[in-house]
């Protein structure tokens, strides 16, 4: 079942014994805290791991050419990052991987003439897999706990629980594709 941003927050609030919300616009402490913290926590969770379900790719639009002020090298080009960008996974050009680049205020500076970005992007909550929902709900509960309950011991317990859920989610995500084989490793070839 796909959950909305409000539904994710409502479940987290229930975990700490607070009243669930049906809208971020409600005039309650729970709604105000959920409205303020949810986007940052969601993006932080997405940035915390190279999630396969959130991986995207695109060719970047060049903003300026020949930028030289403190970049990777002379003749560097500035490329605009997509609006849903959260975390860079790789940067490539027609000739292979770009090894020297620098992120700058919603753009990337590199010496390539063109750049293909693979990145973790912001998604609609309905696209989140169940294992990420569970990890996000646990993290939201941990973050909501202290401002709503003022119980530092409960918040500490919930943070530990959210770390366990985060590890489980990473494991589940990693199992969504075939592991990379080690094709050329000198110790394996030396064994014969």
């Amino acid at each position: 079942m796909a959950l909305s941003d409000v539904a994710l927050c409502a479940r987290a609030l229930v975990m700490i014994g607070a009243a669930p919300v049906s809208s971020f616009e409600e005039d309650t402490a729970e709604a105000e805290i959920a409205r303020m913290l949810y986007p940052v926590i969601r993006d932080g969770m997405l940035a915390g791991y190279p999630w396969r379900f959130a991986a995207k790719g695109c060719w970047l639009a060049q903003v300026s050419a020949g930028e030289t002020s403190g970049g990777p090298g002379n003749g560097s080009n500035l490329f605009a990052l997509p609006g849903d960008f959260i975390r860079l996974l790789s940067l490539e050009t027609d000739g292979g991987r770009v090894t020297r680049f620098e992120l700058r205020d919603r753009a990337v500076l590199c010496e390539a003439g063109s750049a293909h970005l693979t990145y973790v992007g912001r998604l609609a909550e309905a696209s989140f897999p169940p294992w990420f929902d569970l990890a996000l709900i646990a993290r939201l509960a941990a973050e909501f706990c202290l401002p709503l309950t003022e119980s530092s011991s409960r918040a500490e317990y919930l943070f530990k629980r959210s770390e366990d859920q985060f590890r489980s989610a990473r494991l589940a995500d990693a199992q969504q594709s075939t592991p990379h084989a080690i094709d050329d490793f000198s110790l394996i070839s030396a064994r014969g």
Side-chain angles (χ1 to χ4, degrees), residues 72 75-79 91 98 100-102 108-112 114-115:
S76 293
N77 297 311
L78 193 63
F79 297 92
L91 191 62
V98 175
R100 294 187 63 203
F101 61 86
E102 181 181 324
V108 63
L109 184 66
C110 65
E111 294 180 26
S114 63

Side-chain angles (χ1 to χ4, degrees), residues 7 13 20 25 29 39 53 63 77 79-80 89 110-112 116-117 138 157 161 171 173-174 179 186 190:
L13 289 165
E25 304 311 314
F53 74 88
V63 176
N77 297 311
F79 297 92
L89 298 177
C110 65
E111 294 180 26
H116 184 272
L117 175 70
Y157 164 75
R161 186 172 173 191
L171 178 61
D173 190 70
S186 60

Side-chain angles (χ1 to χ4, degrees), residues 13 31 43 51 62 68 70 85 97 123 143 150 152 161 184:
L13 289 165
D43 288 357
W51 302 103
Q62 189 171 339
T68 59
F85 174 84
R97 187 172 221 117
L123 305 170
E143 295 285 351
E150 298 182 8
S152 59
R161 186 172 173 191
D184 184 27

Side-chain angles (χ1 to χ4, degrees):
M1 180 173 103
L3 299 175
S4 68
D5 52 358
V6 173
L8 290 163
C9 290
R11 283 164 173 73
L13 289 165
V14 167
M15 285 180 69
I16 63 171
V21 295
S22 56
S23 166
F24 287 141
E25 304 311 314
E26 291 177 11
D27 190 24
T28 63
E30 291 86 353
E32 181 181 356
I33 287 169
R35 178 178 59 251
M36 288 174 44
L37 295 179
Y38 175 76
V40 176
I41 295 167
R42 176 204 56 213
D43 288 357
M45 289 284 293
L46 287 168
Y49 182 74
W51 302 103
R52 284 171 171 65
F53 74 88
K56 297 181 177 187
C58 68
W59 286 97
L60 299 178
Q62 189 171 339
V63 176
S64 67
E67 175 95 17
T68 59
S69 59
N74 291 334
S76 293
N77 297 311
L78 193 63
F79 297 92
L81 293 171
D84 63 346
F85 174 84
I86 291 182
R87 177 182 175 177
L88 188 141
L89 298 177
S90 70
L91 191 62
E92 298 179 14
T93 187
D94 293 330
R97 187 172 221 117
V98 175
T99 56
R100 294 187 63 203
F101 61 86
E102 181 181 324
L103 291 176
R104 289 189 176 181
D105 191 33
R106 306 301 302 163
V108 63
L109 184 66
C110 65
E111 294 180 26
S114 63
H116 184 272
L117 175 70
T118 303
Y119 66 104
V120 171
R122 191 172 297 107
L123 305 170
E125 284 76 6
S127 302
F128 294 165
W131 62 85
F132 186 78
D133 281 347
L134 289 173
L136 181 55
I137 290 167
R139 182 56 187 257
L140 289 167
E143 295 285 351
F144 293 171
C145 185
L146 198 55
L148 289 172
T149 69
E150 298 182 8
S151 172
S152 59
S153 60
R154 187 187 299 175
E156 186 177 326
Y157 164 75
L158 289 169
F159 273 109
K160 287 178 185 173
R161 186 172 173 191
S162 77
E163 286 301 311
D164 291 341
Q165 286 289 343
F166 188 70
R167 276 192 293 280
S168 295
R170 288 190 335 231
L171 178 61
D173 190 70
Q175 294 171 343
Q176 299 306 304
S177 67
T178 306
H180 297 288
I182 301 173
D183 296 326
D184 184 27
F185 187 60
S186 60
L187 294 178
I188 292 175
S189 60
R191 287 185 12 198

